[in-house]
Amino acid sequence: MSASQTPDVPAVPAADVPTLLVKIFGKDRPGITAGLFDTLAAFSVDVVDIEQVVSRGRLVLCALVTEPTVASQGELRATVHSWAESLKLQAEIISGTGDNRPRGEGRSHVTVLGHPLTAEQTAAIAARIAGSGGNIDRIFRLAKYPVTAVEFAVSGCATEALRTALAPEAHTIGVDVAVVSAGLHRRAQRLVVMDVDSTLIQDEVIELFAAHAGCEEKVAEVTAAAMRGELDFEQSLHARVALLEGLDASVVDKVRAEVRLTPGARTLIRTLKRLGYQVGVVSGGFTQVTDDLKERLGLDFAQANTLEIVDGKLTGRVSGEIVDRAGKARLLRRFAAEAGVPLAQTVAIGDGANDLDMLNAAGLGVAFNAKPVVREAAHTAVNVPFLDTVLYLLGITREEVEAADDGAEDPLH
């Protein structure tokens, strides 16, 4: 072939070109797909489209092919039906013209998390998609535990409009819904940044310190008000840390030992790392804990406030730059720049009001078991107690999680 020549490229059938839709139903077993196309190959048809689904061991296989010559159409139909009957399968062959109709502009992935996911909830989501002008092109189950996660491929509606329409519906019916744009960039989200307190871990670190200082209840009240957005974070931080003045520095090791990871945290981080993601944490808590978590979990980035320690005692002050609401968003941008990842391809996860700037700056902001003000403002919310469910929002299946987890050593053990 000369440099000026190009190989023949099969053309997409014109709208008026006759095609056949061959549908096969029955009990799944190895070799069915190969058998069908071996049967069709005798009639020199071209494959236009293929779709196959297996559910509870039952197969639905659809093949859209060009129509053979008029003389052999009857023979093709008889041969396919005979082959299907020999395997105790059912066959249906429908004549038509052209390919599938083009998908509408505006394509999104809608991920629905239920615990459980009911038929009523599914109907409500599907109806709202249709009411927004969207068409469901495909449905695929991502996971069956610890939650049921189902992904809808939707076309015909802008992503932002679809997200706006589904958010109130999801809240009303009690499911979690994430809507993201379709495209290659979804798999290229290579940086995930999390809050620490009540997100990566189950605890509020300052309350762990306060318990050793005998002022846990007072600190907890201030923390709760700050997370609800009722108090300025920096002022509340200084007020709480001041109550720790005089505490012996040996308490740091005790607090580290008391920290409890959120269920699914190990799996989330391990899976992301094995899939090539970079992972970081930003916290309004303290480097005395986050530095330890970074080492133990193999995190790429970590930044928090630092408790000042002088002569083996906590002074009741913090040193260095304060990590507050605006600071978390700045750190997300800094981590993304250092990782070489566009901000649009970052994921941020948090639960409190001081996470809002970070969640809104990220390509995908996830409110994890968050306060109402955060759930309403974030791109999506997860309200089940398993941090690894965030993986499903990224289009990662349970099978991929288990494959990434296979043989992995737990860094905390």
Side-chain angles (χ1 to χ4, degrees), residues 28-33:
D28 186 38
R29 74 201 75 171
I32 291 177
T33 304

Side-chain angles (χ1 to χ4, degrees), residues 114-315:
H115 190 53
L117 179 63
T118 68
E120 182 180 7
Q121 292 166 333
T122 306
I125 293 297
R128 185 55 65 97
I129 291 173
S132 301
N135 183 72
I136 299 172
D137 300 317
R138 289 184 178 88
I139 305 176
F140 178 74
R141 187 178 71 181
L142 295 168
K144 60 183 178 181
Y145 68 93
V147 299
T148 300
V150 178
E151 181 174 285
F152 296 79
V154 177
S155 62
C157 182
T159 298
E160 285 298 330
L162 191 58
R163 181 183 291 153
T164 299
L166 289 178
E169 186 70 33
H171 178 72
T172 299
I173 64 177
V175 296
D176 298 329
V177 174
V179 183
V180 298
S181 297
L184 292 175
H185 67 276
R186 189 186 188 203
R187 281 289 188 178
Q189 289 174 322
R190 309 296 289 183
L191 173 66
V192 176
V193 177
M194 289 175 277
D195 175 41
V196 175
D197 292 10
S198 298
T199 300
L200 178 63
I201 67 175
Q202 300 178 57
D203 312 283
E204 292 286 335
V205 168
I206 195 166
E207 293 178 15
L208 297 179
F209 277 100
H212 292 280
C215 57
E216 182 179 13
E217 185 175 334
K218 188 171 184 180
V219 164
E221 291 176 0
V222 179
T223 299
M227 293 301 100
R228 291 192 300 266
E230 298 171 2
L231 294 176
D232 173 81
F233 177 81
E234 184 172 350
Q235 291 178 334
S236 71
L237 174 67
H238 290 305
R240 289 174 291 173
V241 171
L243 298 171
L244 306 181
E245 182 180 1
L247 199 58
D248 194 274
S250 62
V251 77
V252 169
D253 289 334
K254 297 177 183 178
V255 168
R256 286 175 175 174
E258 292 168 351
V259 165
R260 302 166 299 162
L261 288 177
T262 298
R266 295 182 182 90
T267 300
L268 172 68
I269 294 170
R270 184 163 52 221
T271 303
L272 291 172
K273 295 292 290 181
R274 289 199 163 207
L275 293 176
Y277 283 67
Q278 296 188 60
V279 184
V281 293
V282 291
S283 176
F286 310 110
T287 57
Q288 282 83 357
V289 170
T290 57
D291 287 350
D292 181 60
L293 288 170
K294 179 182 179 182
E295 180 179 354
R296 293 164 65 193
L297 293 171
L299 301 173
D300 299 285
F301 305 98
Q303 189 67 48
N305 299 301
T306 299
L307 290 169
E308 185 181 72
I309 299 175
V310 176
D311 297 330
K313 301 286 185 182
L314 273 65
T315 65

